[in-house]
Amino acid sequence: MTVQDEVFEKRLQHHHDELRWLYMELYNNGAMFAELVEQLKVYYKQRKRSLKALDQKREQEPDWFKKRDMQGMMLYIDNFAGNLKGVMKKLSYLESCNANCIHLMPFLDSPEGRSDGGYAVADFRKVKPELGTMEDLAELASKCHRRGISLCMDFVMNHTSEDHEWAVKARQGDGEYMSRYFFYDNYDIPGQFEKTVPQVFPTTAPGNFTWLPEIGHYVMTTFYPYQWDLNYRNPRVFNEMMYNFLYLANQGMDVIRIDAVPYIWKQLGTDCRNLPQVHTIVRMMRMIAEIVCPGVVLLGEVVMEPQKVAPYFGTVEKPECHMLYNVTTMATTWNTVATRDARLLKMQMDIINELPKEYTFLNYLRCHDDIGWGLDYPVLKTWGMDEVAHKRYLNNYFRGLEGGGESRGELYNEDLVTGDARFCATTASMCGVESALDQNDEEKLERAIRFDLMLHAYVLTLSGIPMLYSGDEIGQLNDYSYHDDAAKSVDSRYVHRGKFNWDLAKNSKDSTTCQGKIFGGLRELEEIRRRESVFDADAQVWTEDAGDISVLCITRQKGAEKMTGLFNFSENDKTVWVSDSGEYIDLQNEKKLSLREIVVSGHDFIWAKKSEEM
Ligand code: GLC
């Protein structure tokens, strides 16, 4: 046995029994399990030497992705730089944004006009021709690695495109392939599912099934009708999807985002979300990664309420995902913006701060998707707020129609039956930059920029990895041009999926411009975050009452180092009090200050570090 073989065998031995146990529990199929193990070895053998070396390094340093200098940026390859080769040329720009973990939005082959932004994959082993090739991807990964940048990509495992080879064969009536999806020749079972399964896209893609007249069957389509749900009860589906996962990992990916993971197991009579079998599958995936490519981090996309999210970390002994999106905090942050009431956000943060420090969250203000108003309504109810009325207020506020908001944006998937709707816009537009520019109002613009920076400072204060949405670093605005594109016009998420504006990016060094103010302001904050050990993942974090419901107060402490962040979600200046009587310095300008009684300007913030020995 070679040294490399030994490494593999050792890892396999470590996980074999648990992996087999879970596999047999789900599939009771020894032959398929044997095939899986055989293939793990094949993918391990195919893995490049340099990646194996990185794996071994990261095994020694399993917290490599939790360092306080980790900072993500998510971008669409075409919007940002045309194609993969273009991204290679822009790595210095990304470095100037302090981004060292790049999430490339879906880029695998998917049919034009039926792609759901690339989340309908027709071939897991082919890059969209207009973006480049698999070789380009691997080349980009090694270029990134040389600069200490990690790459993240999506693994869309809940469904395939209707153009995927399996779907094409299934549509021709091939039973073997039909069994990889959910096919029904009449509406009995689909009808029963519809009674308990909510809708993801109630307006743009109502229902969870699609009728295929050419073969007289319904097929399950939780998302768009052209995204066919895979049937993970079939071990062939699980095995093949794991091979695809490993194939992609072997191109040099550092982070794999498991798309829509709560949906992957379906059971009649349930809501088909977060079922126990989903956790079995994610746990198996984690072990498979630890056997073949332990340098790879799993990022779960779990857009659910907090009680449903944390279980995807698994347990400390039996971990599932390494990282999860801090989605409720994100939605609650925008709720705080619209209400100027930080109480719910404080409660949300207290829940997160109680979780084990091993859990790593990805913190963000905006991403490529809409903002769903997934708030803690039972709590809001005790404060006299009704869910439907409150959502209506939020959507009105962010369209600039109510509550004195200067935000601009569009509704998403407005459900005319329930009155529900989600919201789409860029950070800068939501902070009022767009309306200030429209009104040519310098003073409003200054305030909007300050607000934008305050929200970013707050995200940078949270434990975990801050993830910026490309364009936010220069305050990019909503892009309404998608209205004229027939393939996109029904999906308002495109309002915040515009082309990156390189002309405006040229202003990023000019501090008299809007772009320069945001870019420069962010850089300064990011550099403070990198420098100060209070931002370490294992710091103690708690919230405090600062005496005003509009002001959120977060304290971080690491050893003798302590800092307090005060974030004013109101447009009015606020005077607040923090109990600690010591002397502090303002991390932005090094000036001394006391938190006993301090004014935080409207929509502004203070990062104060305790200056004396404790
Ligand atoms: C995820 C993606 C979203 C997509 C959906 C279906 O939620 O973030 O953009 O529509 O999965 O794949």
Side-chain angles (χ1 to χ4, degrees):
M1 239 199 301
T2 66
V3 178
Q4 287 297 311
D5 288 343
E6 270 173 38
V7 170
F8 176 83
E9 287 304 326
K10 206 169 139 210
R11 289 184 193 147
L12 178 62
Q13 282 317 314
H14 180 62
H15 288 303
H16 181 273
D17 292 353
E18 191 195 342
L19 185 58
R20 185 165 204 285
W21 177 272
L22 293 180
Y23 193 95
M24 295 306 273
E25 183 184 79
L26 215 53
Y27 299 124
N28 193 23
N29 189 327
M32 287 296 285
F33 180 73
E35 181 204 285
L36 176 73
V37 173
E38 231 4 82
Q39 287 298 312
L40 297 190
K41 196 158 194 172
V42 171
Y43 284 94
Y44 174 76
K45 284 217 153 86
Q46 286 170 359
R47 197 159 167 82
K48 272 192 226 149
R49 250 169 197 288
S50 55
L51 295 177
K52 286 181 179 168
L54 198 56
D55 288 336
Q56 277 170 301
K57 194 169 152 230
R58 289 176 177 172
E59 275 181 311
Q60 300 307 314
E61 201 193 349
D63 286 348
W64 67 272
F65 62 95
K66 298 181 184 172
K67 297 224 178 89
R68 62 175 191 264
D69 68 347
M70 275 298 273
Q71 200 180 300
M73 183 170 280
M74 51 191 296
L75 54 88
Y76 284 95
I77 298 168
D78 51 350
N79 284 343
F80 179 69
N83 54 30
L84 283 165
K85 288 219 184 309
V87 178
M88 293 179 211
K89 295 192 193 113
K90 300 289 187 195
L91 292 180
S92 303
Y93 173 76
L94 293 171
E95 280 178 325
S96 76
C97 303
N98 286 322
N100 54 11
C101 179
I102 310 301
H103 176 185
L104 300 172
M105 297 304 291
F107 53 78
L108 294 177
D109 204 23
S110 65
E112 190 54 43
R114 288 173 292 125
S115 79
D116 183 21
Y119 286 99
V121 178
D123 188 341
F124 290 94
R125 299 184 182 216
K126 187 175 166 208
V127 172
K128 259 189 213 155
E130 63 271 29
L131 299 180
T133 62
M134 264 308 158
E135 289 69 41
D136 292 341
L137 179 67
E139 188 185 339
L140 173 63
S142 30
K143 285 208 157 77
C144 283
H145 288 158
R146 253 174 265 146
R147 293 177 186 238
I149 298 176
S150 303
L151 265 194
C152 169
M153 76 174 285
D154 288 85
F155 184 52
V156 187
M157 68 185 290
N158 176 68
H159 43 259
T160 75
S161 153
E162 62 177 344
D163 284 16
H164 187 278
E165 187 194 345
W166 298 354
V168 170
K169 289 186 176 151
R171 205 197 276 270
Q172 288 160 358
D174 185 328
E176 152 67 17
Y177 291 92
M178 287 169 82
S179 74
R180 298 185 187 192
Y181 300 94
F182 296 90
F183 273 87
Y184 302 98
D185 62 5
N186 64 66
Y187 197 66
D188 283 356
I189 295 188
Q192 289 180 49
F193 270 114
E194 292 292 10
K195 289 193 187 126
T196 56
V197 184
Q199 303 191 38
V200 180
F201 299 143
T203 320
T204 49
N208 289 290
F209 290 86
T210 299
W211 171 246
L212 303 174
E214 61 280 31
I215 58 159
H217 273 77
Y218 289 93
V219 66
M220 186 185 269
T221 53
T222 302
F223 293 85
Y224 277 108
Y226 50 75
Q227 289 166 306
W228 293 9
D229 288 73
L230 284 168
N231 181 0
Y232 279 89
R233 286 168 190 270
N234 182 344
R236 176 53 59 207
V237 168
F238 176 79
N239 281 25
E240 294 295 333
M241 289 304 282
M242 289 306 103
Y243 308 154
N244 286 331
F245 159 61
L246 294 174
Y247 172 86
L248 294 166
N250 278 354
Q251 307 310 308
M253 294 304 113
D254 301 278
V255 181
I256 301 259
R257 173 186 183 273
I258 327 177
D259 181 61
V261 63
Y263 301 82
I264 61 178
W265 193 269
K266 317 294 194 286
Q267 176 100 43
L268 201 59
T270 72
D271 63 358
C272 296
R273 271 113 169 109
N274 311 298
L275 295 175
Q277 292 85 349
V278 174
H279 290 280
T280 306
I281 289 176
V282 179
R283 174 70 190 139
M284 289 201 285
M285 217 169 151
R286 172 74 179 250
M287 287 190 277
I288 287 169
E290 284 181 3
I291 294 167
V292 181
C293 48
V296 171
V297 159
L298 300 180
L299 162 63
E301 191 225 1
V302 184
V303 181
M304 298 280 154
E305 55 272 39
Q307 317 80 281
K308 306 274 173 54
V309 174
Y312 284 86
F313 283 117
T315 61
V316 175
E317 297 76 36
K318 292 187 167 90
E320 295 177 23
C321 293
H322 298 79
M323 260 196 287
L324 294 170
Y325 288 91
N326 204 347
V327 57
T328 305
T329 300
M330 181 279 291
T332 310
T333 303
W334 290 111
N335 173 67
T336 311
V337 167
T339 58
R340 291 92 162 169
D341 179 347
R343 284 177 297 166
L344 194 66
L345 186 55
K346 182 177 182 307
M347 288 172 71
Q348 170 62 21
M349 297 208 54
D350 292 343
I351 298 174
I352 300 272
N353 291 336
E354 284 301 309
L355 294 173
K357 298 269 172 245
E358 286 83 0
Y359 294 178
T360 306
F361 281 101
L362 217 129
N363 299 307
Y364 62 114
L365 288 170
R366 292 297 297 115
C367 70
H368 67 298
D369 278 330
D370 51 292
I371 304 173
W373 299 115
L375 308 171
D376 194 336
Y377 291 102
V379 169
L380 288 178
K381 203 166 173 196
T382 63
W383 298 341
M385 291 179 197
D386 164 69
E387 176 168 347
V388 175
H390 187 57
K391 281 185 184 169
R392 194 175 309 125
Y393 169 73
L394 294 172
N395 287 323
N396 282 342
Y397 173 88
F398 285 110
R399 281 181 297 165
L401 305 175
E402 200 182 335
E406 293 288 344
S407 162
R408 295 290 177 271
E410 295 184 344
L411 296 186
Y412 181 67
N413 265 276
E414 186 179 12
D415 188 330
L416 297 172
V417 182
T418 61
D420 204 358
R422 286 123 75 177
F423 188 78
C424 294
T426 69
T427 306
S429 287
M430 290 179 81
C431 288
V433 176
E434 182 178 330
S435 70
L437 287 170
D438 279 352
Q439 296 163 45
N440 217 346
D441 187 326
E442 275 300 320
E443 200 218 312
K444 275 191 178 170
L445 183 60
E446 284 304 314
R447 276 195 271 140
I449 292 171
R450 192 161 73 202
F451 195 10
D452 186 304
L453 286 172
M454 181 282 267
L455 291 177
H456 279 101
Y458 146 78
V459 167
L460 290 167
T461 310
L462 306 181
S463 289
I465 296 162
M467 174 68 85
L468 251 81
Y469 187 40
S470 168
D472 278 359
E473 77 280 17
I474 54 163
Q476 199 154 299
L477 306 180
N478 291 337
D479 179 349
Y480 302 96
S481 66
Y482 82 95
H483 289 287
D484 307 322
D485 182 337
K488 296 176 176 163
S489 59
V490 291
D491 195 326
S492 53
R493 289 177 296 178
Y494 285 101
V495 82
H496 53 248
R497 295 179 182 174
K499 275 215 169 327
F500 185 73
N501 192 326
W502 285 103
D503 281 336
L504 289 180
K506 283 187 198 133
N507 293 341
S508 63
K509 300 267 156 29
D510 178 351
S511 61
T512 62
T513 63
C514 168
Q515 294 74 34
K517 283 176 190 159
I518 295 181
F519 190 92
L522 272 174
R523 256 188 85 102
E524 212 181 285
L525 297 173
E526 290 156 2
E527 270 144 30
I528 295 174
R529 189 179 204 267
R530 287 181 165 208
R531 191 180 72 214
E532 300 287 339
S533 66
V534 280
F535 290 102
D536 276 349
D538 59 358
Q540 292 304 315
V541 189
W542 65 92
T543 63
E544 285 178 57
D545 188 354
D548 190 298
I549 59 167
S550 296
V551 180
L552 179 71
C553 172
I554 308 173
T555 297
R556 302 186 62 91
Q557 179 160 13
K558 165 114 184 186
E561 304 266 296
K562 185 175 174 190
M563 73 90 79
T564 291
L566 292 164
F567 307 93
N568 184 356
F569 281 83
S570 150
E571 51 274 68
N572 302 321
D573 297 354
K574 297 282 182 173
T575 304
V576 294
W577 294 267
V578 178
S579 54
D580 196 312
S581 58
E583 213 172 67
Y584 281 78
I585 49 160
D586 187 323
L587 278 172
Q588 291 187 91
N589 56 23
E590 312 270 312
K591 282 196 187 132
K592 283 191 180 158
L593 45 86
S594 156
L595 301 185
R596 285 302 287 265
E597 187 177 332
I598 185 161
V599 178
V600 190
S601 309
H603 284 162
D604 208 348
F605 72 100
I606 292 172
W607 264 0
K609 187 178 167 189
K610 191 141 195 202
S611 63
E612 60 196 12
E613 285 293 305
M614 291 192 306

